[in-house]
Amino acid sequence: MSFATNHTATLLKYGGISFIAGAVNHGMFSETRSVITALFGVCFYLLGSWLEMRVQDAQRQSWADVLGVGIVSSIGLGFFTGGLQHFPDSPDRSLWVVPLGFTLSLLAMYYMDWRTRMSVNRLITYALFSIAVVSGASALAWSQLTGHPADDHGHSHGTAEAQKAEAHAHGSDVSTPPVTRTITVTMSDDMRFTPANWQVTSGETVRIQLVNAGKVRHEFIIGTEAELKAHAAEMKTPSAAHHHHDSNAVSVDAGAQGELVWTFTDAGVLHIACFEPGHYDAGMRGTISVLP
């Protein structure tokens, strides 16, 4: 294989894996654009594999390997790397995406390169051990990242909007039930909340401590999926006001902090988002699962 061919094949294969990983990171299971991105990733990976097959080990690899196992391999590697990269942003998704990606990549590699050199018994032994380790590590990371209470219970506020939200979210300070715990949510310029998906229990009153780690203003808005989608459409109109004064919204300047006290009444799923221009479309959103 010439250097140019090898370089091109490598770019295509790893570029394809990156595309799939990006699709996983940005909501492959809910957004059409991410599904299309994943399909492009699979195609790139298969094209790179085809280049390798033409000039190296052509007698050992068949089109069944490239088309069948290659698809499984590309999805597995994409899931594994994407899940690892965005575990802090999407722990609920990464909890199963990482072990699944690891398992798919393991099976694909065995079938394509090792099925004539390694016994099935050795494969089973290694697979059971390694998958257990990866699954256990994923579960441990999930437990640490999902709704982990913050150590800092400070009361600093980033903006006047944050102060107003603190006093009026679900009533005044007098009528609001006592805060049961604090959850810290970091907002960053890669357009992510950390954690982006977490859990509470119906009836809890939670202090949501917001930390803007970026260099631009971010905001935290909570509501139902329908409400936030309607708000996203409204924000795209020329007359929309981009600074909120609602009890369900907090705007936080760069490098500042804010907080929102919220009582979760009904079980279900609430959504969070940032509607600073372009942030929502870039993926700055998440969910709060309210357990009964």
Side-chain angles (χ1 to χ4, degrees), residues 15-234:
I17 293 170
S18 296
F19 267 51
I20 298 169
V24 173
N25 298 345
H26 295 93
M28 176 179 173
F29 309 103
S30 60
E31 299 179 10
T32 302
R33 183 178 63 182
S34 293
V35 174
I36 295 174
T37 300
L39 291 176
F40 271 109
V42 171
C43 291
F44 283 3
Y45 186 91
L46 293 178
L47 183 57
S49 298
W50 174 75
L51 281 176
E52 287 185 345
M53 190 182 74
R54 286 189 60 191
V55 294
Q56 185 179 40
D57 294 334
Q59 73 280 3
R60 185 168 58 85
Q61 293 186 358
S62 66
W63 273 109
D65 290 337
V66 174
L67 293 177
V69 184
I71 291 175
V72 175
S73 177
S74 63
I75 293 175
L77 292 170
F79 273 29
F80 183 73
T81 56
L84 284 179
Q85 182 181 355
H86 275 258
F87 222 124
D89 300 330
S90 305
D92 288 338
R93 182 188 300 161
S94 295
L95 173 65
W96 62 269
V97 166
V98 170
L100 176 60
F102 180 85
T103 303
L104 291 176
S105 65
L106 183 154
L107 295 176
M109 182 175 179
Y110 172 78
Y111 184 82
M112 184 173 288
D113 296 321
W114 285 85
R115 66 181 184 269
T116 61
R117 296 185 284 167
M118 182 179 182
S119 68
V120 174
N121 288 338
R122 289 182 59 194
L123 170 68
I124 293 174
T125 301
Y126 171 75
L128 290 177
F129 174 77
S130 59
I131 292 171
V133 171
V134 171
S135 299
S138 297
L140 178 61
W142 176 85
S143 68
Q144 295 298 312
L145 293 170
T146 304
H148 188 68
D151 294 328
D152 182 8
H153 288 250
H155 296 270
S156 59
H157 301 272
T159 62
E161 290 91 337
Q163 294 175 345
K164 183 174 181 178
E166 161 75 6
H168 294 88
H170 283 257
S172 66
D173 286 342
V174 175
S175 60
T176 300
V179 173
T180 56
R181 60 174 169 144
T182 297
I183 293 177
T184 297
V185 177
T186 301
M187 302 180 285
S188 61
D189 291 347
D190 62 355
M191 306 309 162
R192 292 291 180 271
F193 293 110
T194 304
N197 304 280
W198 35 283
Q199 296 177 339
V200 297
T201 302
S202 177
E204 273 195 290
T205 297
V206 177
R207 185 184 306 280
I208 305 171
Q209 186 77 28
L210 302 164
V211 178
N212 186 347
K215 298 181 179 180
V216 299
R217 176 193 291 264
H218 292 292
E219 62 185 9
F220 179 96
I221 300 180
I222 186 172
T224 65
E225 183 177 20
E227 290 171 345
L228 294 192
K229 284 185 175 181
H231 200 98
E234 179 185 351

